[in-house]
Amino acid sequence: VNFTSVHYKQNALNVTITSGKRGKANLIIFNATGQSIARRTITFEGASKSEQKMTIPNLQRGVYFCKIRTDWGRTSSRSFLVP
């Protein structure tokens, strides 16, 4: 599982994730102190791409992190900037 793109614009986080397997994954958004601020479960139907739009209003400027953890044991992380 990999992040293809991650960007935040106008109170929405747009994330594109690709997977080579069927299964579920948890997408978790963290702030710089490690606090979880949003979460979503994604289902992959085999090799596929998932585009997720999460409304997360009023994020302060700074660096944030996306982490995806699959039910088959894979983890991937990516940072993004809120200007």
Side-chain angles (χ1 to χ4, degrees):
V1 66
N2 291 305
F3 288 101
T4 304
S5 68
V6 176
H7 61 278
Y8 183 83
K9 185 176 182 181
Q10 299 176 350
N11 292 328
L13 179 65
N14 296 290
V15 180
T16 304
I17 305 159
T18 57
S19 173
K21 288 190 174 186
R22 179 185 177 114
K24 292 188 179 190
N26 289 311
L27 174 64
I28 308 164
I29 312 303
F30 296 95
N31 64 16
T33 64
Q35 180 184 13
S36 173
I37 58 171
R39 178 182 297 260
R40 175 171 290 173
T41 299
I42 303 164
T43 300
F44 293 100
E45 300 296 331
S48 62
K49 177 170 70 170
S50 177
E51 295 180 3
Q52 301 291 314
K53 182 175 184 176
M54 300 173 73
T55 301
I56 308 174
N58 305 319
L59 284 184
Q60 301 294 317
R61 287 191 287 179
V63 177
Y64 293 82
F65 303 91
C66 295
K67 184 175 188 176
I68 191 160
R69 183 177 301 136
T70 68
D71 61 0
W72 61 89
R74 302 285 266 168
T75 302
S76 184
S77 298
R78 182 107 175 242
S79 63
F80 65 96
L81 182 66
V82 175

